[in-house]
Amino acid sequence: MRKMLLAMLSRVLQTPAAAAAAGKTGAVSEASRVMVASRNYADFANEATFEMKKCDLHRLEEGPSTTAVMTREEGLQYYKTMQTIRRMELKADQLYKQKIIRGFCHLYDGQEACCVGIEAAIKPTDHVITAYRAHGFTYTRGVPVREILTELTGRKGGCAKGKGGSMHMYTKNFYGGNGIVGAQVPLGAGIALACKYFGKNEICLTLYGDGAANQGQIFETFNMAALWKLPCIFICENNRYGMGTSVERAAASTDYYRRGDFIPGLRVDGMDVLCVREATKFAAEHCRSGKGPIVMELQTYRYHGHSMSDPGISYRTREEIQEVRSKSDPITLLKDRMVNNNLASIEELKDIDVAVRKEIEEAAQFATTDPEPPLEELCQHIYFNEPPFEVRGPNQWISYKSTS
C-alpha cells in the first residue's frame, strides 16, 4: 500500500511537460483524485480530544469538563450545519436588500455555535423556545433551508405557510420565534411545567438575549421555576448589545449567569461549539435529575446589526467586528481544530462549502418563485384540530373561513 501511494505521489509531482512527454497527463489528475480519496477514507483520525475554556460557576460545586472528545463525523456535521446557517443568513441579507424579504428580520450570523452546540447536546423530544433571532434554531430543530427562506419571503411553501415571517417559525418541539421581548421566558417555564407534569423526562430550553435580561417577567419566572423545580434551562445569549445599547450601559451587573440568584448558573464561551455542547449536556443532566432549573449565559457576538434596519456600526466600530471575526469566529475555530488534529482536510471542507452554497442558491430560487398564499387562507390554522368557524374580516361584510 505504501509503495502504491509513493508511486502515485511521484506521478503527481511530475511537471506537466514531463507528464505530457510520458503521455501520462490523464494519469496525473487520476492519481490526484485517488490520493485525495485515499486520504479521505484512510488517513484521518476517528476522533480527537480538545481543551476548552473553563466555565464560570454560580452555586455549583463543579461544572462541565474542560476537555471534550469530538469524532470526525460529529465535526463534519457541526461544520456543515454552521456553514449552512451562515450562508442562509447572508442570503437573507441579500434578499432583504433586494426588497424580496420585507418587515422585521434579525440575523444570526456569528452566533452559530450556540444553536448547533445546544442541539448536539439535547434530544429531539426536548423542547426549545427562543426570541425573534430564530432562524438558526429553526434549522437545527429540523426545518429545511428552503422552508425557512420561503417563509422569509412570505410564500405558501414556508414553514408557517408564509404567514409568520422571520420572527414566527415553528416545528415539532420548537415554539418560535417570539416577537415580544422576554415574553417567551414564562412560556418556556410553562412548557417545562408540562414536561414535569407528564413525567416524560423531557426538558425545555428557554432562550432570551441580554437586552431582555432586565425584564421583570424573567425574574418572576425564575422564582416560579425554582419553587416548582421545573426542568428548564434558562439560556441568555449575551451578544454584548441589546439593540444598540452595550451591556455595560444597560445593566448594573453583566453577570447574567448569576441573575437567577437562588438558581445555579454557568457562563460559557458561546463562540466554541464544543464548549456550548458540553455545558448544555451538564445543564440538561442537572434538570433531568430533578434538581430544578439552571441558568446558562452564552457569551457570543452577532456580526449584523440588531435587525436589518440597523447598520450595526453606530454603537460599535468596524474594527471591533473585524477583530471578533479574526480571533473568535466559531466556524473558523472549528475548522482549524479539525484540520490541525487530522479530522478533515482543507479540500474536504471546501467541498462542503461548495455543496452548502449550491443548496442555499437552490432554496433561494424556490423562495423567490413560490406563489404567495391566497387571500382565502388568511385566517386558516388559527387553532389546531378544531372544527371550521367564521372569522370576521376588516369590516362586518367580509368574513373568512378558518380551518385547522
Side-chain angles (χ1 to χ4, degrees):
M1 179 66 181
R2 183 177 296 175
K3 290 181 178 179
M4 183 177 70
L5 288 173
L6 288 172
M8 290 177 183
L9 180 61
S10 66
R11 288 201 297 271
V12 171
L13 294 176
Q14 284 182 345
T15 63
K24 297 179 180 178
T25 306
V28 174
S29 59
E30 178 64 17
S32 302
R33 184 189 65 78
V34 172
M35 284 192 67
V36 170
S38 175
R39 175 166 166 72
N40 282 341
Y41 295 107
D43 292 352
F44 293 119
N46 290 324
E47 62 180 39
T49 302
F50 301 94
E51 294 289 332
M52 302 177 302
K53 182 180 177 182
K54 184 179 180 180
C55 297
D56 296 318
L57 306 179
H58 171 64
R59 287 184 177 267
L60 291 168
E61 293 184 1
E62 58 180 328
S65 172
T66 56
T67 61
V69 175
M70 181 176 69
T71 66
R72 167 176 153 79
E73 183 180 357
E74 288 172 341
L76 291 173
Q77 182 59 48
Y78 300 161
Y79 181 82
K80 182 179 179 182
T81 304
M82 287 201 289
Q83 274 288 25
T84 300
I85 295 169
R86 176 72 57 86
R87 291 292 166 185
M88 178 178 70
E89 297 297 66
L90 294 177
K91 177 56 69 173
D93 171 274
Q94 179 185 346
L95 294 174
Y96 197 96
K97 289 172 179 174
Q98 294 172 350
K99 297 186 178 181
I100 297 172
I101 296 175
R102 309 300 290 264
F104 295 106
C105 187
H106 305 80
L107 302 182
Y108 200 70
D109 52 317
Q111 300 183 208
E112 296 90 353
C114 297
C115 62
V116 175
I118 286 171
E119 188 63 36
I122 62 176
K123 302 174 182 178
T125 52
D126 290 327
H127 308 265
V128 176
I129 186 168
T130 188
Y132 39 73
R133 202 177 303 280
H135 307 163
F137 284 99
T138 305
Y139 180 70
T140 56
R141 287 267 85 185
V143 178
V145 172
R146 189 169 86 162
E147 290 187 24
I148 295 173
L149 287 179
T150 307
E151 186 60 38
L152 285 170
T153 59
R155 311 303 173 97
K156 63 187 294 185
C159 57
K161 303 188 183 299
K163 294 185 281 187
S166 173
M167 298 194 293
H168 304 289
M169 299 182 180
Y170 312 92
T171 191
K172 186 175 178 61
N173 297 330
F174 177 62
Y175 305 82
N178 291 266
I180 305 301
V181 175
Q184 72 277 8
V185 178
L187 296 180
I191 297 168
L193 176 60
C195 292
K196 183 171 183 177
Y197 182 84
F198 290 112
K200 293 183 178 180
N201 198 32
E202 297 169 355
I203 61 174
C204 182
L205 292 85
T206 303
L207 293 108
Y208 57 98
D210 54 277
N214 298 318
Q215 287 268 323
Q217 58 188 328
I218 291 179
F219 294 93
E220 293 179 55
T221 304
F222 284 171
N223 186 55
M224 295 170 69
L227 285 172
W228 296 340
K229 292 191 178 299
L230 299 183
C232 188
I233 307 176
F234 296 104
I235 303 176
C236 176
E237 289 186 286
N238 176 8
N239 59 25
R240 294 168 47 177
Y241 298 95
M243 297 189 70
T245 306
S246 68
V247 293
E248 292 81 11
R249 294 180 59 216
S253 170
T254 58
D255 292 335
Y256 296 106
Y257 71 109
R258 295 177 178 270
R259 291 287 191 91
D261 189 12
F262 34 77
I263 299 176
L266 58 160
R267 181 160 57 192
V268 183
D269 181 359
M271 303 299 273
D272 181 349
V273 66
L274 293 182
C275 198
V276 175
R277 185 190 74 177
E278 295 306 305
T280 306
K281 285 181 180 179
F282 176 88
E285 178 57 32
H286 176 95
C287 291
R288 293 190 209 279
S289 64
K291 296 178 182 177
I294 189 170
V295 176
M296 228 167 65
E297 176 188 345
L298 303 181
Q299 291 187 312
T300 184
Y301 197 82
R302 56 170 165 81
Y303 293 152
H304 269 84
H306 171 72
S307 68
M308 286 302 297
S309 61
D310 169 22
I313 52 173
S314 60
Y315 48 86
R316 58 182 183 175
T317 63
R318 294 182 188 273
E319 289 73 23
E320 177 186 304
I321 302 169
Q322 187 55 42
E323 183 179 13
V324 175
R325 281 184 180 274
S326 62
K327 295 182 179 180
S328 305
D329 183 77
I331 298 177
T332 302
L333 175 62
L334 177 63
K335 179 180 180 179
D336 290 345
R337 276 177 167 169
M338 294 185 68
V339 173
N340 294 338
N341 288 272
N342 199 33
L343 292 176
S345 66
I346 293 291
E347 294 78 12
E348 186 176 18
L349 298 179
K350 284 182 178 178
D351 287 343
I352 292 176
D353 296 345
V354 171
V356 166
R357 287 191 182 96
K358 183 174 184 291
E359 179 186 4
I360 299 300
E361 288 302 324
E362 290 175 353
Q365 178 65 26
F366 180 84
T368 54
T369 56
D370 194 48
E372 295 180 356
L375 186 61
E376 56 268 21
E377 292 186 9
L378 178 66
C379 293
Q380 290 185 10
H381 312 107
I382 294 176
Y383 297 109
F384 173 72
N385 202 25
E386 287 286 327
F389 61 95
E390 296 292 322
V391 178
R392 201 188 86 169
N395 62 58
Q396 59 183 326
W397 298 282
I398 298 177
S399 64
Y400 298 96
K401 187 175 183 179
S402 178
T403 58
S404 297

mmCIF file of all heavy atoms in Angstrom, residues 96 101-105 166 308-309:
data_model
loop_
_atom_site.group_PDB
_atom_site.id
_atom_site.type_symbol
_atom_site.label_atom_id
_atom_site.label_comp_id
_atom_site.label_asym_id
_atom_site.label_seq_id
_atom_site.Cartn_x
_atom_site.Cartn_y
_atom_site.Cartn_z
ATOM 1 N N TYR A 96 -33.198 40.661 1.480
ATOM 2 C CA TYR A 96 -33.818 41.808 2.157
ATOM 3 C C TYR A 96 -33.439 43.106 1.459
ATOM 4 O O TYR A 96 -34.293 43.982 1.240
ATOM 5 C CB TYR A 96 -33.388 41.852 3.626
ATOM 6 C CG TYR A 96 -34.261 42.734 4.487
ATOM 7 C CD1 TYR A 96 -35.301 42.197 5.225
ATOM 8 C CD2 TYR A 96 -34.058 44.118 4.551
ATOM 9 C CE1 TYR A 96 -36.117 43.002 6.016
ATOM 10 C CE2 TYR A 96 -34.861 44.927 5.333
ATOM 11 C CZ TYR A 96 -35.893 44.367 6.064
ATOM 12 O OH TYR A 96 -36.694 45.168 6.824
ATOM 13 N N ILE A 101 -37.482 40.141 0.777
ATOM 14 C CA ILE A 101 -37.897 39.935 2.163
ATOM 15 C C ILE A 101 -38.243 41.302 2.735
ATOM 16 O O ILE A 101 -37.482 42.252 2.584
ATOM 17 C CB ILE A 101 -36.768 39.286 2.993
ATOM 18 C CG1 ILE A 101 -36.461 37.883 2.473
ATOM 19 C CG2 ILE A 101 -37.146 39.234 4.469
ATOM 20 C CD1 ILE A 101 -35.272 37.221 3.155
ATOM 21 N N ARG A 102 -39.399 41.397 3.383
ATOM 22 C CA ARG A 102 -39.831 42.677 3.960
ATOM 23 C C ARG A 102 -40.115 42.512 5.448
ATOM 24 O O ARG A 102 -40.185 41.404 5.962
ATOM 25 C CB ARG A 102 -41.106 43.176 3.238
ATOM 26 C CG ARG A 102 -41.022 43.212 1.725
ATOM 27 C CD ARG A 102 -39.905 44.121 1.225
ATOM 28 N NE ARG A 102 -40.190 45.511 1.454
ATOM 29 C CZ ARG A 102 -40.732 46.344 0.553
ATOM 30 N NH1 ARG A 102 -41.062 45.886 -0.646
ATOM 31 N NH2 ARG A 102 -40.936 47.608 0.830
ATOM 32 N N GLY A 103 -40.275 43.642 6.135
ATOM 33 C CA GLY A 103 -40.626 43.606 7.554
ATOM 34 C C GLY A 103 -39.430 43.353 8.451
ATOM 35 O O GLY A 103 -38.289 43.627 8.098
ATOM 36 N N PHE A 104 -39.706 42.814 9.629
ATOM 37 C CA PHE A 104 -38.643 42.561 10.608
ATOM 38 C C PHE A 104 -37.780 41.381 10.164
ATOM 39 O O PHE A 104 -38.289 40.389 9.654
ATOM 40 C CB PHE A 104 -39.235 42.265 11.992
ATOM 41 C CG PHE A 104 -39.970 43.431 12.579
ATOM 42 C CD1 PHE A 104 -41.359 43.450 12.636
ATOM 43 C CD2 PHE A 104 -39.264 44.505 13.091
ATOM 44 C CE1 PHE A 104 -42.028 44.528 13.190
ATOM 45 C CE2 PHE A 104 -39.932 45.594 13.651
ATOM 46 C CZ PHE A 104 -41.317 45.605 13.693
ATOM 47 N N CYS A 105 -36.486 41.489 10.399
ATOM 48 C CA CYS A 105 -35.579 40.396 10.041
ATOM 49 C C CYS A 105 -34.321 40.515 10.895
ATOM 50 O O CYS A 105 -33.552 41.468 10.747
ATOM 51 C CB CYS A 105 -35.229 40.434 8.554
ATOM 52 S SG CYS A 105 -34.274 39.024 7.981
ATOM 53 N N SER A 166 -40.046 36.205 9.584
ATOM 54 C CA SER A 166 -38.782 35.989 10.273
ATOM 55 C C SER A 166 -38.943 35.605 11.738
ATOM 56 O O SER A 166 -38.212 34.762 12.254
ATOM 57 C CB SER A 166 -37.921 37.258 10.176
ATOM 58 O OG SER A 166 -36.755 37.149 10.951
ATOM 59 N N MET A 308 -32.276 44.194 10.306
ATOM 60 C CA MET A 308 -31.819 44.685 9.012
ATOM 61 C C MET A 308 -31.943 46.201 8.883
ATOM 62 O O MET A 308 -31.350 46.794 7.991
ATOM 63 C CB MET A 308 -32.589 43.994 7.888
ATOM 64 C CG MET A 308 -32.157 42.544 7.652
ATOM 65 S SD MET A 308 -30.396 42.391 7.247
ATOM 66 C CE MET A 308 -30.311 43.298 5.711
ATOM 67 N N SER A 309 -32.694 46.828 9.770
ATOM 68 C CA SER A 309 -32.785 48.291 9.743
ATOM 69 C C SER A 309 -31.639 48.950 10.506
ATOM 70 O O SER A 309 -31.520 50.173 10.516
ATOM 71 C CB SER A 309 -34.127 48.741 10.331
ATOM 72 O OG SER A 309 -34.229 48.324 11.684
#
